[in-house]
Amino acid sequence: MKFTKMHGCGNDYVYVNCFDETVENPSETAKIVSDRHFGIGSDGLILICPSDKADFRMAMYNLDGSEGKMCGNGVRCIAKYVYDHHLTDKTRISLETLAGIKYLDLNIKKGKVETVTVDMGAPILEPAKIPVNISKPKAVNEPVEIDGKIWHMTCVSMGNPHAVVFVDDTHSMKLNEIGPLFEKHPLFPEQVNTEFVHVIDRHTVDMRVWERGSGETLACGTGACATAIACILNGKTDNEVLVHLLGGDLLIKYDTEKNTVFMTGPAAEVFSGDIDL
């Protein structure tokens, strides 16, 4: 199987061009390629596929083989792949995902995609649609007991579920201990991605993320969007937020008139090769 390794702010996936390749069992393939000792090493597998609804279709699988609905860093990398590898000459493309069709604007430098702005759509705040088992109109600053401690979370879906928790310091957190307890808490019927966020000022935050099915990753695009919305809902920032992640920065802008979140960030190709599965 021919593949290309790419990352967005260090959130790395193995990408397969399914215009040329056929992946018989993507769930098992994701487990194989994601292993950093016996495989290629990644946060998961993303397939770039034909679509009858949009220019392209994304199928994504986490490193544990579970299928995800949406990946903000992944969609930017797909945009870079299809333009740089001449699958399209458009600088605005549509991408079918399990979270709906996303529209991507490609920012070109010296003939290649440098950054991508993604229309991530409207944030979902209704608990039943996130989903989170809370009987309120919104889950904002909601207390939850984890490991004997009360945390306050704001829940948002950007196509996949997020719980955003504000903390005084992200760097000293033992994320490998607390992350799984949030991920598999009974409040979340489909498990959850958890963002731990320190607000620096009205325009800037630090964020670390524990992703369901993958553990801590260096970046999460939908998580950065959910973080910006949580900051706004809690009155902590303005509508444009620079999110510092372990792997780089994402600029998130919430358009109040359109009720739409826009994410801008880089995408990078690391290497290509082939693997005998």
Side-chain angles (χ1 to χ4, degrees), residues 137-176:
K138 296 177 184 177
V140 176
N141 199 33
E142 191 69 26
V144 57
E145 184 175 345
I146 302 280
D147 197 26
K149 177 182 175 180
I150 300 298
W151 305 74
H152 288 82
M153 64 181 185
T154 296
C155 297
V156 181
S157 173
M158 292 301 307
N160 46 14
H162 294 273
V164 180
V165 179
F166 295 102
V167 297
D168 293 330
D169 175 29
T170 61
H171 302 291
S172 62
M173 291 194 65
K174 296 179 179 178
L175 209 60
N176 60 327

Side-chain angles (χ1 to χ4, degrees), residues 24-147:
E24 299 290 351
N25 190 333
S27 182
E28 287 303 311
T29 301
K31 295 178 187 178
I32 294 168
V33 301
S34 297
D35 192 294
R36 297 186 186 275
H37 298 286
F38 298 100
I40 299 164
S42 67
D43 291 324
L45 172 71
I46 291 181
L47 309 180
I48 305 169
C49 309
S51 171
D52 56 7
K53 300 177 182 177
D55 294 319
F56 302 94
R57 179 173 66 86
M58 175 181 79
M60 69 157 294
Y61 297 83
N62 298 308
L63 59 79
D64 67 354
S66 61
E67 187 171 9
K69 291 183 178 180
M70 174 60 186
C71 175
N73 292 309
V75 298
R76 295 200 315 278
C77 288
I78 287 180
K80 180 173 178 61
Y81 183 96
V82 297
Y83 186 89
D84 290 4
H85 290 260
H86 310 296
L87 274 67
T88 185
D89 59 2
K90 295 181 180 180
T91 56
R92 179 176 173 83
I93 64 170
S94 57
L95 181 67
E96 179 187 353
T97 77
L98 289 180
I101 294 177
K102 305 300 178 187
Y103 295 92
L104 294 72
D105 288 298
L106 287 54
N107 306 309
I108 312 299
K109 187 174 182 179
K110 296 181 179 178
K112 292 186 179 294
V113 172
E114 184 175 51
T115 63
V116 180
T117 298
V118 187
D119 180 342
M120 298 289 284
I124 298 167
L125 303 177
E126 187 179 329
K129 294 181 180 179
I130 292 174
V132 53
N133 294 325
I134 290 175
S135 56
K136 294 183 179 180
K138 296 177 184 177
V140 176
N141 199 33
E142 191 69 26
V144 57
E145 184 175 345
I146 302 280
D147 197 26

Side-chain angles (χ1 to χ4, degrees), residues 9 13 43 47 93 98 110 126 191 197 201 211 213 262 264:
C9 294
Y13 286 86
D43 291 324
L47 309 180
I93 64 170
L98 289 180
K110 296 181 179 178
E126 187 179 329
Q191 302 185 344
V197 179
D201 57 38
E211 294 196 58
F262 292 94
T264 300

